Amino acid sequence: MYAAARFACSRRADRVLLAELAYDGRASYARLAAVSGLNEVTVRRRIISLRASGALYFDLDVDHRFFGYTGTALLRISVVPS
């Protein structure tokens, strides 16, 4: 996966997209197109490709109290790649 992620990020435009998303994770496709110099369709395709390669992923922190939970559990899973 890491080799694919390195390859997927080798383009300057991809690095610009990732930097903008690091700054504003809610940036619209229009905003990403403006900062990268790509059109929106290309941005959408690049985002799909970056997600598929593992170079772009989502990591969420959720306050469990918001959902009414009073306890915390941490779980780490390791699986063999298919």
Side-chain angles (χ1 to χ4, degrees), residues 40-54:
E40 278 191 58
V41 173
T42 302
V43 167
R44 288 175 194 261
R45 286 190 204 135
R46 292 309 308 150
I47 295 297
I48 290 168
S49 177
L50 290 167
R51 287 185 63 198
S53 74

Side-chain angles (χ1 to χ4, degrees), residues 7-72:
F7 177 75
C9 293
S10 64
R11 296 176 51 188
R12 183 199 71 79
D14 290 345
R15 291 190 297 274
V16 171
L17 291 173
L18 292 173
E20 183 63 22
L21 288 169
Y23 176 74
D24 179 6
R26 294 174 36 138
S28 67
Y29 289 125
R31 171 72 184 153
L32 294 172
V35 299
S36 67
L38 303 171
N39 64 50
E40 278 191 58
V41 173
T42 302
V43 167
R44 288 175 194 261
R45 286 190 204 135
R46 292 309 308 150
I47 295 297
I48 290 168
S49 177
L50 290 167
R51 287 185 63 198
S53 74
L56 176 64
Y57 62 93
F58 300 98
D59 187 15
L60 304 172
D61 290 325
V62 179
D63 186 349
H64 61 275
R65 294 171 295 185
F66 179 78
F67 296 103
Y69 297 113
T70 57
T72 301

